[in-house]
Structures are given as C-alpha cells and as structure tokens.
Amino acid sequence: MPELPDLLYVLSRLRDRLPGREVTAERVREPVVLRYTVRGNLSLLLGRVLADVFRKSHFLVFRFDGLDLAVNPMLAGRFRLAEPGDPDEKSLGFALGFGEVELRYLDDKKMGKAYLITSDDWKAIPGLQTGGVDILSPEFTRERFVSLLKHRRDQVRVFLLDKKALDSLGNAYADEVLFEARVHPKTFCRSLSHDDGVRLHDAIVKVMSEAVAEVEGRAEPIEVKVRDFLKVRRKETCPRCGGKIRTAGVRGMDAWFCPRCQPATRPGFVDWTRAGKQTDN
Ligand SMILES: [Zn+2]
C-alpha cells in the first residue's frame, strides 16, 4: 500500500506534470475499482481541465471543475505516468489521457477504489476518515499524541494504524516506528508510560520525516514502491543487535519486530509459529 511518504512523493510528481491540462481521453479496464456518486461515468471528465491534485487522508483527489476524482489505492494500487500508446499493464484499472501524457491507475489486487463525486461531497465516500491528526503537521505534538494514547484500550500497533486517530501509518511504517521506539507491537496502550508515549511520538516524527526525504531523494518513477531502506519490515536480521527479526499476528495483521530490542512486557506475546511468514506489505 502506498504509505504517507509514497503518497506525498506521488502527489508532488503528479502536481509537477498534470494540473492545467485537459482530459483528452479516458479508458476503464477494470470497472470494479470505479464508483460513481454522480450520473454518468469517467467520460464526464472529458474536456475538463485538472485544477489541482491534493491529498485527503489516504486518498489522492483530482479536482476538476465541479467534479472530484478521489482515489484510495488501498493495498496494492499504484499510479503511473505513461505515454499514450505504451502497452497496457495487466493490472491497469483505468487511465486518463492528458494530451501527450497518460495517468494510469494500476492495481494487482483490485482492492483500491476511485470515486467520482460532486466536488467536496466527501460524505459520499465510505471510509474517508478525516478525524486523524496529520502526523507530519505542526499539530502533531507530544501532548496531543500522549493524550490520544491515554484514552486507548487496544494494543499499540492497532492504535498506530487507526486512521481516525492518526493520518496516517500503514503496516510497514507502524513496524518501523515501534522498532525505533523499542516498543513491542502487542503492548497495550494503557501499559505505556508518559515517557514511552513521548518516545513513540518522537519515533513517528523521526521515522516518517526520514522516509519522506529518502523516498523523495530516490526520485524513482512513481509506480515504484521504495522500501529497501526499512529496518525491520520484511527483514531477517536486526540492524541494531544482529538478532533474528520475528513476526507476530496483531489483530489479523503481521507485525515484524526484534524480540530483543522490543521485549515483551507480558507473557504470551510472541506467536513463534508465525516467525518468518511472508505477507503483504
Ligand atoms: Zn534487535
């Protein structure tokens, strides 16, 4: 899934290329990814000029006169800038032509959704949570984070992934943040001290700002997911202590962590049978 650093990078690239251009063509290869809350279909965009592209929570929004196309790439969605006539990818969901450049939405799992809505009709989009505090904004302070944490009764990794609380962390960066803060993924929020909370906040800021800079600096094509610099997610050996990285199931998601650097604070945390299992993301 594109996480925040990926989404910000894609956004900056699309902003460089597309606004001010008119939609000259549209193709839908995989109708399942498209949802219309207006009468009509993607051809409504033909002849309209793209005014802006922006991020709203985990959606990228393409703004046209009177209409917004809001795309949530979910687990596997990617964007690609192609030239018209480039061969279609097997995973092509839909494409919008903007003269000599074509924006393609690719999705191997077909889980992403693109909503064509009347501008600003956000309530028409299920799952568009806007309550979370933007973790890269000045509003994301230690005090705000610790106060959010204090009211939670769930496990810390579940909290980190809750988009109504934080905008936003996905599976990969949740693991990186917990590793940085040396917190076991199954720790209950209520058992974390004030100092733990501060450390976790600072880890989010550090890990995410470094990741944003890293992804930006690589300057890969936007369809490439840059993840090789991560420290624990999908890794075998802990870069800090040299121990073996393990996985554990947390509410149906696999967490990757170092049991030595992120020790359990209660017994029965680690499901060793799942160690090393490969999963998405
Ligand atoms: Zn370690």
Side-chain angles (χ1 to χ4, degrees):
M1 143 183 178
E3 295 222 22
L4 194 47
D6 312 314
L7 216 50
L8 291 173
Y9 176 64
V10 170
L11 177 60
S12 77
R13 287 301 156 116
L14 295 181
R15 276 191 139 153
D16 286 347
R17 290 293 298 279
L18 299 181
R21 288 175 182 266
E22 182 185 314
V23 177
T24 50
E26 55 88 18
R27 290 187 295 145
V28 178
R29 168 68 78 78
E30 193 46 79
V32 74
V33 302
L34 280 154
R35 297 281 188 277
Y36 306 101
T37 73
V38 290
R39 255 179 109 90
N41 53 37
L42 215 53
S43 67
L44 287 172
L45 296 179
L46 288 171
R48 291 185 201 240
V49 172
L50 180 69
D52 194 11
V53 192
F54 57 93
R55 179 176 79 90
K56 190 164 178 68
S57 187
H58 44 298
F59 285 69
L60 279 192
V61 182
F62 299 83
R63 169 148 291 178
F64 301 88
D65 184 24
L67 291 172
D68 288 339
L69 180 68
V71 186
N72 175 8
M74 295 289 290
L75 278 179
R78 291 173 296 147
F79 295 92
R80 178 171 176 240
L81 289 170
E83 290 177 18
D86 279 2
D88 280 0
E89 298 77 5
K90 253 178 73 185
S91 56
L92 179 66
F94 65 89
L96 288 178
F98 292 90
E100 77 271 25
V101 58
E102 188 177 64
L103 172 70
R104 293 183 180 175
Y105 174 73
L106 315 175
D107 196 333
D108 292 320
K109 294 193 188 295
K110 302 178 176 50
M111 284 172 70
K113 295 280 177 287
Y115 296 86
L116 188 61
I117 60 170
T118 306
S119 284
D120 287 322
D121 187 18
W122 309 121
K123 60 182 187 317
I125 301 181
L128 175 53
Q129 310 292 353
T130 53
V133 52
D134 182 342
I135 55 176
L136 291 172
S137 73
E139 286 76 49
F140 184 62
T141 58
R142 285 175 169 176
E143 291 69 29
R144 180 106 179 244
F145 180 75
V146 170
S147 120
L148 282 170
L149 185 65
K150 221 168 50 187
H151 294 99
R152 303 290 295 214
R153 305 187 63 81
D154 44 7
Q155 296 173 28
V156 63
R157 194 174 187 278
V158 177
F159 162 57
L160 292 180
L161 292 173
D162 181 0
K163 291 179 171 51
K164 286 180 219 158
L166 304 172
D167 175 19
S168 65
L169 291 162
N171 280 304
Y173 288 107
D175 285 346
E176 296 301 301
V177 162
L178 291 166
F179 176 73
E180 177 67 29
R182 298 177 182 252
V183 173
H184 190 286
K186 288 194 168 197
T187 309
F188 277 106
C189 292
R190 62 171 182 268
S191 69
L192 290 167
S193 68
H194 183 272
D195 286 354
D196 292 334
V198 168
R199 209 169 66 247
L200 207 46
H201 167 275
D202 293 0
I204 293 174
V205 174
K206 177 172 188 284
V207 166
M208 296 312 278
S209 30
E210 286 177 1
V212 168
E214 180 72 28
V215 172
E216 182 75 37
R218 294 287 190 92
E220 292 280 356
I222 57 173
E223 65 271 25
V224 175
K225 190 162 71 174
V226 181
R227 287 288 161 81
D228 54 357
F229 63 95
L230 299 185
K231 292 177 177 158
V232 284
R233 186 81 188 168
R234 294 190 169 285
K235 301 293 173 188
E236 294 195 346
T237 308
C238 172
R240 202 185 270 143
C241 74
K244 189 167 167 36
I245 299 293
R246 303 284 181 176
T247 62
V250 183
R251 284 273 296 272
M253 308 281 205
D254 272 336
W256 298 62
F257 69 105
C258 172
R260 250 193 261 170
C261 295
Q262 298 160 262
T265 50
R266 64 186 167 99
F269 266 177
V270 184
D271 181 3
W272 295 101
T273 59
R274 299 171 62 90
K277 187 171 162 275
Q278 298 284 318
T279 48
D280 277 326
N281 237 356

